[in-house]
């Protein structure tokens, strides 16, 4: 009897020890994983900061950040969420939410709050890409891809401002759909928030509907169906707003094949390979014919890379390329790139102009190059991809540091506005130069 009890106690002790060892190991792994993601998030934020430190150290409103989002939030409060953007003719929910959040802080800190929200959303694609939900790709390759993303050339207009949040949020939503289905309540909540927000942030949610439908058809699992369903209500609302809104001001597109080749060659492919500053140098130094020949060559190379990826790459990368260039095509159909007296496609040709439109195509091109380097079936293709990647790294270096915004002395205006009596109307100059925001003191 005593022997049986002793054996039973030993067995319970072993099981208890094994249980605690397994839980301690799991707890340590969970801690290390969380620490890794925290460090990566902070490093990514610092990387964005390093490209234009004044976005934090001397935060100022940029374009719609002050002229529309903050001014509307200050005047109308929550009702501002229902106002279609005057330029785009559709709802912009996330920057308006950022503006409403900034109302909780002193006026002098409002641009900083909005910039920090923008930087956070800009960094979130890195968070999901380096997570276990993309574990089919080796971690070091995901880290390299994340570095290229954070250093994307020709992305000055999309860096650290709330006005262009939709482009980062669109990329994030596409990654959410392409990632492995979430296996925890936190990831499911994260995915749900992202997909709902993109559907009421811009028409990109509408473009993502067929992407989500294809993923649902390919994977045939419950979460893919839920992801598709989450996009539907907001996309329907956005569709109604786009079809009924008269807010968008359109000029002449001036669409021609030569301009399309120039836009693709200059702004997407050459800018990815040599940087925006070098493209501007080519445009100013070379003749129109020489520039066009160079752009045509770059377009041919870029389309060949994308075509190769569309032929041989996994279907997830094909979907991402398709999504990126569908958004690009829709942008070219109704762009607002400059003064309406000149054709918009002519504006789009000028290096650095409206580079928000090229953001997703550039990232999809860089993704195709990385895939060719790592996974292309032919040695010649991989060698060609390595050569292109070296050019890309040079372009990242050349375009890394962006010029600071012109100092509009916002802090001085903020002090004057805070001290002004109720009913005072104040015009505050903001970036880009020539733009002003109108506020009426409450």
């Amino acid at each position: 009897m005593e022997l049986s009890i002793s054996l039973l106690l030993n067995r319970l002790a072993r099981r208890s020890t094994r249980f605690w060892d397994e839980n301690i190991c799991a707890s340590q792994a969970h801690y290390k994983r969380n620490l890794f993601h925290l460090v990566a998030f902070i490093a990514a934020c610092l990387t964005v900061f390093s490209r234009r430190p004044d976005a934090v150290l001397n935060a100022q409103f940029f374009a719609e950040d002050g002229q529309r989002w903050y001014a509307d939030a200050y005047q109308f409060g929550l009702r501002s969420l229902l106002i279609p953007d005057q330029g785009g003719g559709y709802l912009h929910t996330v920057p308006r939410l950022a503006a409403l959040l900034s109302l909780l802080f002193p006026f002098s800190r409002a641009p900083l709050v909005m910039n920090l929200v923008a930087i956070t959303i800009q960094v979130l694609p890195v968070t999901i890409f380096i997570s276990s939900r993309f574990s089919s790709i080796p971690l070091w390759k995901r880290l390299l891809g994340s570095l290229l993303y954070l250093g994307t050339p020709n992305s000055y207009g999309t860096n650290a401002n709330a006005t262009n949040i939709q482009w980062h949020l669109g990329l994030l939503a596409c990654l959410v759909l392409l990632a492995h289905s979430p296996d925890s309540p936190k990831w499911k909540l994260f995915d749900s928030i992202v997909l709902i927000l993109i559907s009421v942030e811009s028409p990109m949610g509408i473009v993502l509907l067929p992407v989500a439908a294809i993923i649902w058809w390919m994977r045939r699992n419950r979460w893919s169906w839920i992801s598709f369903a989450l996009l539907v209500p907001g996309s329907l609302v956005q569709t109604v707003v786009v079809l009924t809104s008269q807010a968008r001001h359109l000029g002449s597109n001036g669409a021609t094949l030569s301009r399309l080749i120039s836009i693709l060659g200059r702004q997407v492919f050459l800018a990815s390979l040599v940087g925006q500053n070098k493209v501007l140098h080519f445009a100013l130094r070379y003749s129109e014919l020489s520039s066009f020949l160079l752009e045509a060559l770059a377009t041919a190379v870029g389309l060949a890379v994308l075509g190769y990826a569309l032929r041989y790459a996994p279907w997830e990368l094909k979907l991402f390329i398709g999504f990126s260039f569908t958004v690009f095509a829709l942008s070219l159909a109704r762009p607002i790139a400059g003064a309406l007296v000149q054709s918009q496609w002519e504006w789009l040709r000028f290096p650095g102009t409206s580079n928000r439109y090229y953001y997703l195509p550039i990232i999809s091109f860089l993704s195709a190059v990385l895939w060719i380097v790592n996974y292309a079936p032919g040695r010649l293709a991989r060698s060609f991809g390595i050569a292109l990647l070296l050019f890309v790294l040079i372009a990242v270096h050349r375009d890394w540091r962006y010029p600071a915004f012109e100092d509009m002395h916002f802090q001085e205006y903020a002090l004057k506005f805070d001290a002004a009596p109720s009913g005072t109307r104040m015009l505050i100059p903001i970036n880009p130069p020539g733009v002003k925001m109108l506020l009426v003191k409450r």
Side-chain angles (χ1 to χ4, degrees):
M1 183 67 177
E2 291 179 359
L3 181 60
S4 299
I5 294 175
S6 176
L7 290 173
L8 178 62
L9 290 175
N10 287 334
R11 185 176 301 173
L12 287 173
R14 286 197 299 270
R15 289 185 178 181
S16 177
T17 302
R18 188 183 308 116
F19 172 81
W20 286 111
D21 287 345
E22 290 175 353
N23 276 273
I24 290 172
C25 290
S27 177
Q28 289 176 342
H30 182 71
Y31 171 77
K32 290 180 180 178
R33 184 165 58 249
N34 288 340
L35 180 62
F36 169 74
H37 281 286
L38 177 61
V39 171
F41 180 82
I42 294 173
C45 289
L46 291 174
T47 301
V48 174
F49 167 78
S50 72
R51 301 196 72 181
R52 191 169 64 81
D54 69 290
V56 174
L57 301 180
N58 184 29
Q60 302 177 85
F61 285 122
F62 172 72
E64 287 90 341
D65 290 0
Q67 191 181 48
R68 294 174 188 161
W69 319 141
Y70 187 86
D72 287 349
Y74 184 83
Q75 181 175 355
F76 302 110
L78 290 173
R79 287 180 296 161
S80 64
L81 295 173
L82 304 177
I83 302 175
D85 174 36
Q86 296 176 4
Y90 48 84
L91 297 178
H92 272 297
T93 302
V94 179
R96 290 193 182 278
L97 287 172
L100 288 169
L101 174 65
S102 72
L103 293 177
L104 302 176
F105 298 83
F107 180 45
S108 61
R109 298 299 181 188
L112 175 61
V113 172
M114 296 183 69
N115 285 355
L116 291 178
V117 171
I119 290 172
T120 299
I121 294 176
Q122 186 172 343
V123 164
L124 284 179
V126 173
T127 300
I128 189 171
F129 190 57
I130 65 173
S131 74
S132 59
R133 297 182 63 187
F134 281 91
S135 58
S136 57
I137 304 173
L139 179 59
W140 72 267
K141 295 179 181 179
R142 284 180 277 152
L143 291 173
L144 175 59
S146 298
L147 179 61
L148 290 183
Y149 160 71
L150 294 172
T152 302
N154 196 24
S155 60
Y156 175 72
T158 61
N159 190 68
N161 65 79
T163 291
N164 291 304
I165 275 178
Q166 62 171 314
W167 306 97
H168 300 293
L169 188 61
L171 172 63
L172 177 61
C174 191
L175 289 176
V176 160
L177 292 173
L178 294 173
H180 299 317
S181 297
D183 56 2
S184 69
K186 291 181 180 179
W187 273 120
K188 290 178 180 179
L189 177 62
F190 177 84
D191 286 18
S192 301
I193 292 173
V194 169
L195 294 175
I196 291 172
L197 285 178
I198 190 59
S199 69
V200 292
E201 166 59 18
S202 85
M204 270 188 269
I206 302 172
V207 179
L208 282 170
L209 273 175
V211 175
I214 294 172
I215 293 173
W216 175 21
W217 181 78
M218 294 289 292
R219 293 178 176 169
R220 306 293 178 93
N221 60 35
R222 184 170 179 269
W223 186 254
S224 297
W225 177 85
I226 293 174
S227 298
F228 174 81
L230 288 169
L231 287 169
V232 172
S235 297
L236 290 175
V237 172
Q238 198 73 262
T239 300
V240 172
V241 173
V242 170
L243 294 177
T244 59
S245 173
Q246 303 297 320
R248 190 173 183 87
H249 305 293
L250 294 176
S252 170
N253 270 8
T256 64
L257 179 59
S258 61
R259 283 175 175 157
L260 177 61
I261 293 173
S262 184
I263 291 169
L264 284 171
R266 283 186 185 182
Q267 307 283 42
V268 177
F269 301 125
L270 267 181
S272 299
L273 296 173
V274 299
Q276 173 192 321
N277 295 326
K278 197 65 176 179
V279 170
L280 178 61
H281 173 77
F282 291 154
L284 295 177
R285 182 175 180 180
Y286 295 164
S287 67
E288 190 71 20
L289 177 59
S290 298
S291 294
F292 181 77
L293 291 176
L294 182 61
E295 292 155 10
L297 176 61
T299 300
V301 171
L303 292 179
V305 169
L306 293 172
Y308 190 86
L310 289 173
R311 173 66 179 84
Y312 294 106
W315 62 267
E316 291 91 346
L317 180 56
K318 295 176 182 179
L319 271 182
F320 177 60
I321 294 173
F323 163 70
S324 300
F325 278 86
T326 299
V327 173
F328 179 57
L330 293 175
S331 301
L332 290 184
R334 304 182 69 189
I336 299 178
L340 301 182
V341 295
Q342 187 174 356
S343 65
Q344 297 304 293
W345 279 31
E346 188 61 33
W347 278 112
L348 291 174
R349 292 180 65 243
F350 192 80
T353 300
S354 299
N355 49 30
R356 62 189 182 276
Y357 294 140
Y358 321 122
Y359 188 66
L360 290 175
I362 287 175
I363 293 175
S364 65
F365 172 67
L366 297 182
S367 301
V369 170
L370 283 176
W371 176 82
I372 289 174
V373 168
N374 290 290
Y375 300 107
R379 181 179 297 179
L380 180 61
R382 289 198 297 272
S383 299
F384 183 66
I386 291 171
L388 291 180
L389 181 59
L390 293 176
F391 275 101
V392 169
L393 294 174
I394 295 173
V396 169
H397 172 72
R398 284 175 172 167
D399 274 9
W400 188 268
R401 189 65 178 266
Y402 287 133
F405 282 176
E406 183 174 332
D407 190 355
M408 297 294 183
H409 306 288
F410 172 75
Q411 297 299 321
E412 298 176 14
Y413 283 93
L415 290 174
K416 292 178 182 178
F417 186 76
D418 287 338
S422 180
T424 300
R425 295 169 61 89
M426 183 176 290
L427 280 173
I428 301 176
I430 60 177
N431 279 284
V435 178
K436 295 183 178 182
M437 64 180 293
L438 172 63
L439 290 180
V440 180
K441 183 66 178 292
R442 293 196 301 245

